[in-house]
């Protein structure tokens, strides 16, 4: 029997694997940190709220799990100012080769932290077992009850365990940002990406292999105070809006920023990403106002 999880893991993280050899997401698909500095700005606003809720600790962490080339971690470090900047410790977690960036420390294991931990498109790259229905797997029984005979499904248990472990080590808040589905909308989504194109998933290390995140099971596994909202709504609540003002160069700069914000909040694109936010010793209501619950974007289920 083919071991999907082992093959997936070897293709990404084994000797010569896609990420192990140093491939960076920026070379293969467009992510929110690559759009511009605006995501980092919004996350700094969120971190500032976490910092205040924690009582302004002597050291406050920003931990970027699955950091890739470190674009998000470096942008957060670069934009921080005032008291927060003087107390901020930025950590990038990555299994591949490290990228030397001023003010960013690199580690290979998720560390405990006091502040904000962010897994930006991290969970989708954690390999999973794959089963064919009917299946008696306990995770499938609970979280994919609609699995029909002959259909394939990714078993999200390894992601649940990874997210629960990461959240346990946090005092402050933990945030997973990803594309995903819910028990009401499960669909087999395993696919590959190479050089900006979606491609069939092959397990030879030549492409990134990814699948949608079961947000509801990850949320339940980590437990506690939490919300699941859309990136579009979360960014708006963190002050990221796209107004255009001024004249001349000022107008051009604000128009460019407005375009980047629009891309980040596009409900048919990046704005449809889910934001799963857990409070750890901090009330989620102190970090985000009440927002509509996240719903999956059917367009994200397209296959190669």
């Amino acid at each position: 029997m083919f071991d999907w999880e082992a093959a997936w893991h070897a293709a990404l993280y084994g000797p010569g694997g896609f990420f192990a050899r140093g491939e960076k997401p920026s070379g293969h698909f467009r992510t929110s940190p690559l759009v511009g500095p605006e995501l980092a700005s919004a996350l700094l606003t969120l971190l500032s709220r976490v910092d205040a809720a924690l009582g302004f600790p002597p050291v406050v962490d920003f931990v970027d799990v699955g950091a890739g080339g470190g674009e998000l971690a470096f942008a957060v470090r670069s934009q921080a100012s005032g008291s927060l900047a003087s107390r901020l410790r930025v950590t990038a977690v990555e299994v591949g080769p490290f990228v030397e960036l001023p003010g960013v420390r690199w580690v290979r294991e998720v560390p405990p932290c006091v502040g904000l931990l962010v897994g930006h498109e991290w969970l989708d790259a954690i390999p999973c077992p794959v089963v064919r229905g009917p299946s008696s797997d306990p995770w499938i029984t609970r979280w994919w009850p609609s699995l029909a005979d002959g259909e394939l499904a990714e078993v999200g248990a390894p992601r649940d365990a990874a997210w629960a472990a990461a959240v346990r080590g946090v005092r402050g808040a933990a945030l997973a940002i990803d594309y995903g589905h819910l028990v009401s909308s499960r669909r087999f989504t395993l696919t590959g990406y190479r050089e900006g194109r979606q491609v069939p998933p092959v397990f030879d290390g030549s492409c990134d292999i990814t699948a949608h995140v079961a947000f509801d099971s990850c949320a339940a596994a980590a437990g506690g105070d939490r919300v699941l909202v859309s990136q579009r709504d979360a960014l708006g609540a963190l002050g990221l809006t796209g107004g255009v003002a001024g004249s001349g160069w000022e107008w051009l700069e604000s128009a460019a920023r407005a375009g980047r914000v629009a891309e980040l909040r596009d409900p048919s694109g990046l704005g449809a990403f889910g934001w799963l936010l857990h409070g750890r010793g901090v009330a989620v209501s102190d970090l985000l106002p009440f927002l509509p619950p996240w719903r999956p974007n059917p367009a994200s289920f397209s296959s190669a």
Side-chain angles (χ1 to χ4, degrees):
M1 181 180 295
F2 183 70
D3 189 333
W4 291 77
E5 184 180 16
W8 188 349
H9 190 277
L12 295 186
Y13 306 113
F18 186 80
F19 289 126
R21 70 170 179 263
E23 293 286 348
K24 303 302 182 188
S26 58
H28 298 274
F29 51 88
R30 187 167 174 82
T31 67
S32 296
L34 302 179
V35 172
E38 284 73 25
L39 177 65
S41 175
L43 291 177
L44 271 169
T45 299
L46 181 60
L47 177 59
S48 296
R49 295 176 185 179
V50 173
D51 185 33
L54 289 171
F56 307 102
V59 176
V60 62
D61 289 297
F62 180 86
V63 177
D64 180 10
V65 186
E71 295 89 353
L72 179 59
F74 182 63
V76 167
R77 175 70 270 180
S78 300
Q79 293 185 51
S81 61
S83 170
L84 178 60
S86 68
R87 295 176 291 112
L88 180 60
R89 177 172 58 192
V90 176
T91 302
V93 184
E94 183 54 62
V95 298
F98 298 161
V99 179
E100 292 298 323
L101 296 169
V104 178
R105 67 167 187 157
W106 290 82
V107 299
R108 299 203 182 278
E109 301 291 336
V110 180
C113 70
V114 177
L116 176 63
L117 177 144
V118 176
H120 184 277
E121 294 194 62
W122 169 52
L123 292 173
D124 67 83
I126 295 177
C128 299
V130 173
V131 299
R132 187 181 298 274
S135 173
S136 60
D137 182 277
W139 189 92
I140 293 292
T141 300
R142 180 178 181 187
W143 294 109
W144 205 313
S146 62
L147 183 64
D149 291 1
E151 290 184 344
L152 294 175
E154 305 101 2
V155 179
R159 293 159 173 197
D160 294 353
W163 183 239
V167 172
R168 271 197 305 272
V170 174
R171 186 163 71 88
L175 172 64
I177 304 175
D178 232 308
Y179 44 89
H181 46 44
L182 301 172
V183 70
S184 59
S185 60
R186 297 282 188 246
R187 179 172 171 182
F188 186 66
T189 58
L190 189 73
T191 192
Y193 285 92
R194 183 192 302 120
E195 298 176 353
R197 295 183 297 111
Q198 190 176 13
V199 297
V202 291
F203 298 94
D204 61 0
S206 66
C207 65
D208 180 22
I209 299 173
T210 179
H212 282 44
V213 175
F215 271 123
D216 41 9
S217 69
C218 285
D225 184 20
R226 60 192 185 271
V227 293
L228 175 58
V229 299
S230 72
Q231 174 158 298
R232 175 179 177 82
D233 290 339
L235 292 181
L238 293 169
L240 205 62
T241 57
V244 178
S247 59
W249 283 110
E250 182 182 355
W251 184 91
L252 288 173
E253 290 175 359
S254 69
R257 180 181 183 276
R260 295 191 298 269
V261 170
E263 182 177 356
L264 290 173
R265 299 188 64 206
D266 180 1
S268 63
L270 295 173
F273 271 38
W275 279 39
L276 173 59
L277 180 66
H278 292 256
R280 296 280 294 174
V282 169
V284 169
S285 59
D286 288 339
L287 309 179
L288 288 177
F290 175 79
L291 296 170
W294 175 81
R295 291 290 179 263
N297 175 19
S300 71
F301 293 148
S302 60
S303 58

